[in-house]
Amino acid sequence: MKPAKRAALVLGAATLLVTGLFVATNAYAANLLSNPGFESGNLSGWSCTGSGSGVVSTPVHSGSYALNGNATTSDTAQCTQTVTVQPNTAYTLSGWVRGSYVYIGVTGGASTWTPGASAYTKLTVPFTTTAGQTSIQVYLHGWYGTGAYQADDIALDGPGTPPTTTPPTTSSPSPSRSASASPSASPSKSPSTSPTTPVTGIPKHALIGYNHASFANGSGYIRMADIPAAWDVIDLAFGEPTSVTSGDIRFNRCSAAECPNVESDAEFLAAIKAKQAQGKKVLISIGGQNGQVQLTTTAARDAFVNSVSAIIDRWGLDGLDIDFEGHSLYLNAGDSDFRNPTTPVVVNLISALKSLKAKYGTKFVLTMAPETFFVQLGYQFYGGTTQGDNRAGSYLPVIHAVRDFLTILHVQDYNSGPIWGLDNQYHTMGGADFHIAMTDMMKAGFPVANTGQTFPGLRPDQIAFGVPAAVSAGNGYVSNAVVQSAVTCLVTGSGCGGYTLRGGTSPAFRGLMTWSINWDKYYNWEFQNAQRPYLNTLP
């Protein structure tokens, strides 16, 4: 998950009073949630999963009680509550949490999490409802196999009235991270079914980076002309939808107010052409953390194709990067065959990508940057079955359907919880082992949870992996030497530690992706200066 891109702008009540628009019925309630501090001594108002989840008298943040969720290897101990809200309105969800990998958010919308809090820590999620939206479902949960977590003093601030009924007992999808128990089947090497010749013009071992073209995010804006020649593929972040389900993607360049050194449109376009003349590829990246894209209808699919085409044509781009996160992709109950998906958001995305490929032909560059939750977690859980989160492994049908023209898959090896690898062991961020195990899964292929099907591995030239460029760029940062150690193992088979490559060595391994070029510049180009020369030494 990419870091949040911009701060929310909140209009205070004083402004409304001055303009004479203040309406008493829209005054902010103290808290729209029922039983927000669990002071009833039970889970009244909340719908919770997980054996052993309930209320406790210690530790609490305030009052007499707090929630205690018991996250097991098969359940994240999720608690939800449905609340009536007003359309096109700003709200703030917050709560105090304690434990490892605790999440809080809005189903289908914004979320946040902490990888570990030994004492109560406050998490805050600002968001704005969509046009016509009259209710939301808030959630909080732990993570698979991490044990107990606590939560207290959950608040939803904004116009409205607290619900008067208990939310339904059905649980919702939850934010992404990792794994669970191993399936009984032993994975084996699966040959790729993709015969297509790779897109020309990208080096055998490429350096891929995201450029904050529409925001600054604390790291500063970089003019396109100032991006060094070391970068082979430049992803413009981000194209975002006008609403979650519209399919209408817009790319708005950073404003001068946020990015004082932003270039003009003419200069930006000229710099893109200059990069392409040097053999670089420039793509529009769709989604990111804030850009939820759900193609629930064929109308949304068609809007996606038309609007993305307009962006590509306007700036003369080489293709697109799919960076769908959060709740963009999921699988409906019973959609358990990744080879023949039936869920509309998946089917329509596949159709849209095939349409764009048909329109732009053989030179069309398509990359993807899913989180591990949406890909490798499919080894343990698959969203269309009855186990786990319905988003688990939900990229797999998309990857499989477009594998013949997928240029590069660079999974985000960051902001991830533990993931079960092909050695039937958990792998966690922080060392070369995580990158080796996660990338090997994409080369070797793997059985998909309890479906009886095997996801075939990709060609090595289609495989890269993503890492944070610097400590401020995301969870999971490791030194450049550790990244190189992982790549050396994958390419040559040496220095793999105790891990055995199930997919064999990959001399054609495509390269490294990083979030982001901007953060790398902020840290004096440490990533670029280490990795570009290293990639050049590979066979």
Side-chain angles (χ1 to χ4, degrees), residues 37-375:
F38 307 93
E39 293 305 303
S40 66
N42 56 41
L43 297 176
S44 174
W46 296 89
S47 176
C48 299
T49 67
S51 174
S53 295
V55 297
V56 292
S57 57
T58 185
V60 301
H61 176 252
S62 69
S64 301
Y65 298 100
L67 169 69
N68 185 82
N70 183 34
T72 67
T73 56
S74 60
D75 193 285
T76 61
Q78 176 171 269
C79 290
T80 63
Q81 185 171 147
T82 299
V83 185
T84 299
V85 294
Q86 297 178 8
N88 292 320
T89 302
Y91 290 86
T92 300
L93 175 66
S94 64
W96 293 83
V97 300
R98 178 179 180 271
S100 298
Y101 294 102
V102 188
Y103 301 77
I104 185 170
V106 178
T107 298
S111 64
T112 190
W113 63 293
T114 175
S118 58
Y120 272 104
T121 300
K122 188 175 184 180
L123 298 178
T124 302
V125 182
F127 66 95
T128 301
T129 54
T130 61
Q133 187 172 16
T134 58
S135 69
I136 61 166
Q137 187 178 64
V138 302
Y139 63 76
L140 51 96
H141 64 82
W143 198 246
Y144 297 106
T146 56
Y149 73 90
Q150 291 79 43
D152 202 358
D153 298 325
I154 314 302
L156 178 64
D157 293 322
T161 303
T164 57
T165 59
T166 301
T169 57
T170 55
S171 61
S172 70
S174 57
S176 56
R177 294 298 156 250
S178 68
S180 99
S182 166
S184 57
S186 299
S188 58
K189 182 177 178 181
S190 301
S192 167
T193 60
S194 305
T196 308
T197 301
V199 172
T200 59
I202 299 177
K204 182 178 180 180
H205 304 299
L207 193 64
I208 305 158
Y210 286 82
N211 174 34
H212 308 177
S214 59
F215 57 95
N217 200 25
S219 59
Y221 182 84
I222 302 178
R223 295 164 65 95
M224 176 62 69
D226 295 334
I227 295 176
W231 301 92
D232 302 303
V233 180
I234 301 166
D235 293 315
L236 304 178
F238 288 104
E240 299 181 4
T242 55
S243 69
V244 173
T245 58
S246 70
D248 186 10
I249 306 299
R250 304 298 173 87
F251 173 55
N252 299 311
R253 298 190 55 238
C254 194
S255 67
E258 185 179 0
C259 303
N261 62 322
V262 65
E263 69 269 61
S264 68
D265 284 356
E267 291 170 327
F268 186 69
L269 180 58
I272 290 173
K273 291 181 177 179
K275 291 294 180 188
Q276 292 168 329
Q278 298 168 5
K280 313 303 180 184
K281 303 297 180 182
V282 184
L283 315 179
I284 179 65
S285 181
I286 308 297
Q289 175 178 295
N290 294 349
Q292 303 293 301
V293 183
Q294 294 179 347
L295 304 183
T296 56
T297 64
T298 55
R301 174 200 66 192
D302 295 343
F304 182 87
V305 172
N306 292 335
S307 58
V308 170
S309 296
I311 295 170
I312 291 174
D313 295 344
R314 166 70 177 87
W315 301 105
L317 304 179
D318 297 288
L320 79 153
D321 170 69
I322 298 297
D323 188 7
F324 285 14
E325 302 182 16
H327 295 266
S328 293
L329 290 181
Y330 55 84
L331 295 161
N332 289 339
D335 188 359
S336 57
D337 185 352
F338 74 88
R339 302 163 302 181
N340 299 288
T342 58
T343 305
V345 295
V346 172
V347 173
N348 289 330
L349 176 59
I350 292 170
S351 177
L353 295 179
K354 288 183 176 180
S355 293
L356 288 166
K357 168 64 175 177
K359 177 175 181 176
Y360 291 105
T362 58
K363 294 184 179 180
F364 180 68
V365 178
L366 174 64
T367 65
M368 295 184 184
E371 296 164 287
T372 56
F373 181 90
F374 298 100
V375 184

